[in-house]
């Protein structure tokens, strides 16, 4: 790991060690982190950090690319099935790699269920609608249920032990810990052939810890930083990143819809695709794509079953 860092001009054994110990084991992790944060976590002087970052940018050739290069990269994009054809359809064929997909909804709408379903389907080969890789699942609320993974895998005639063995789960105990786990993804994802990263939920710790107007700016700044790390991760490793978000009600709003996704503009701008999930009649769920750069604003009905997520039996 440190040999990767030692390939940077000006970074010797000592600096590499400080970077690794501070939580920056790869060139990627240095590129995406603010210099002030690196300096604080490693004890390396701010100016030296800036020099290291410049070297890291050069090593990674971060700068202009031709449209052709971008196009070639986009063509490598894969899509992961949700188990519901109609939901896949409104997502443009499934949950995309190289993008950040946000699942938004009130309590009990099925966000966690959808994440666990994707943790199974992501392991299928691409010709069966999967991403052909493993899964990293950051659980902030303690709601990841291995039993449910077994149930879904068995109902789909997959080997449940094999499926469960390929899902790496970490419980994040606070927002700081969540941030450390996100930083860790930059080594973990390539080392473990991870193709799907889930953060369920992205925002709950931030909302719980940064209370009141005075702390809002700091909260948004931290949230923004981690969201951008996740986007960078999705792009750099051609993986899908799925995060969940809650809704909040604005009691001061009298006109229009008072229910909004939490996280404000920072969340809205960072996420590539936003999917709002609501409860429908007779246990169905309605998913709607909102604010997507290229997906139309459409909705689809699905149900939560023993097999995970499925289409509703008849078209609604
Ligand atoms: P919060 O995290 O509280 O915001 O909610 P969420 O959106 O993550 O909800 P979650 O995914 O936990 O959905 C819970 C709902 O899924 C339950 O109310 C059930 O309706 C449904 N559900 C959970 N487990 C099963 C299951 O094993 N079988 C079936 N058929 N439905 C299930
Ligand atoms: Mg949940």
């Amino acid at each position: 790991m440190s040999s990767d860092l030692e390939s940077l001009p000006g970074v010797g054994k000592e600096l590499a060690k400080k970077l690794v110990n501070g939580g920056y084991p790869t060139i990627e992790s240095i590129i995406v982190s603010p210099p002030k944060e690196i300096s604080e976590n490693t004890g390396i002087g701010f100016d030296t950090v800036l020099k290291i970052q410049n070297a890291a940018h050069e090593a990674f050739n971060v700068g202009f690319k031709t449209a052709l290069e971008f196009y070639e990269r986009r063509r490598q994009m894969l899509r992961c099935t949700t188990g519901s054809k109609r939901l896949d359809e409104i997502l443009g064929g499934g949950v995309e790699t190289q993008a950040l997909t946000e699942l938004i909804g009130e309590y009990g709408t099925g966000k966690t269920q959808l994440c666990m379903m994707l943790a199974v389907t992501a392991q299928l080969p691409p010709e069966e609608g999967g991403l052909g890789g493993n899964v990293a699942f950051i659980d902030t609320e303690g709601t990841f249920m291995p039993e449910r993974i077994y149930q879904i895998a068995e109902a789909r005639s997959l080997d449940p032990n094999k499926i469960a063995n390929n899902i790496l789960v970490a419980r994040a105990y606070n927002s700081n810990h969540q941030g450390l786990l996100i930083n860790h993804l930059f080594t973990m994802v390539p080392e473990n052939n991870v193709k799907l990263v889930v953060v369920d939920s992205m925002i709950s710790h931030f909302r719980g810890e940064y209370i009141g107007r005075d702390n809002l700016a700091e909260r948004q700044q931290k949230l923004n930083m981690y969201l951008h790390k996740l986007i960078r991760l999705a792009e750099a490793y051609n993986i899908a990143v799925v995060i969940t978000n809650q809704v909040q009600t604005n009691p001061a709003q009298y006109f229009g819809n008072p229910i909004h996704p939490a996280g404000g503009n920072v969340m809205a701008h960072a996420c590539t695709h936003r999917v709002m999930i609501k409860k429908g009649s007779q246990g169905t769920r309605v998913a709607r794509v909102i604010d997507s750069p290229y997906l139309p604003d459409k909705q689809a009905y699905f149900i939560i079953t023993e097999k995970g997520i499925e289409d509703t039996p008849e078209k609604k």
Side-chain angles (χ1 to χ4, degrees), residues 97-117:
T97 61
Q98 301 178 35
L100 188 51
T101 302
E102 177 193 6
L103 308 175
I104 312 157
E106 282 180 74
Y107 160 78
T109 45
K111 303 180 295 293
T112 300
Q113 289 296 319
L114 193 46
C115 291
M116 289 194 283
M117 177 66 181

Side-chain angles (χ1 to χ4, degrees), residues 17-191:
K17 206 170 137 198
K18 280 187 184 170
L19 286 164
V20 172
N21 291 342
Y24 307 93
T26 60
I27 297 178
E28 275 288 332
S29 61
I30 293 170
I31 290 174
V32 298
S33 304
K36 190 161 165 273
E37 180 205 283
I38 300 180
S39 176
E40 280 168 9
N41 289 341
T42 58
I44 301 171
F46 187 75
D47 289 345
T48 310
V49 170
L50 287 183
K51 281 186 197 140
I52 296 171
Q53 271 197 325
N54 284 344
H57 284 138
E58 293 213 348
F60 247 68
N61 196 14
V62 178
F64 287 98
K65 278 197 184 79
T66 66
L68 177 67
E69 282 171 305
F70 263 114
Y71 178 68
E72 289 298 332
R73 185 74 184 143
R74 298 285 297 165
R75 275 172 32 136
Q76 291 169 10
M77 183 211 280
L78 293 168
R79 290 190 166 92
C80 185
T81 181
T82 60
S84 155
K85 282 208 175 69
R86 267 179 248 140
L87 179 54
D88 287 352
E89 235 169 71
I90 66 164
L91 292 170
V95 174
E96 282 179 2
T97 61
Q98 301 178 35
L100 188 51
T101 302
E102 177 193 6
L103 308 175
I104 312 157
E106 282 180 74
Y107 160 78
T109 45
K111 303 180 295 293
T112 300
Q113 289 296 319
L114 193 46
C115 291
M116 289 194 283
M117 177 66 181
L118 290 165
V120 174
T121 56
Q123 298 183 42
L124 297 171
E127 54 283 9
E128 288 172 35
L131 305 175
N134 301 329
V135 179
F137 201 115
I138 299 178
D139 176 16
T140 70
E141 297 177 318
T143 51
F144 176 87
M145 294 293 153
E147 298 82 1
R148 181 66 172 140
I149 298 292
Y150 273 74
Q151 186 191 31
I152 297 171
E154 270 164 19
R156 294 186 170 262
S157 308
L158 300 165
D159 178 351
N161 283 326
K162 210 171 141 201
I163 294 286
N165 199 34
N166 290 334
I167 307 173
L168 300 143
V169 188
R171 176 82 207 272
Y173 291 100
N174 53 51
S175 68
N176 197 39
H177 186 210
Q178 184 178 334
L180 287 178
L181 291 170
I182 289 175
N183 288 345
H184 187 55
L185 290 171
F186 285 90
T187 22
M188 214 187 111
V189 164
E191 276 176 8

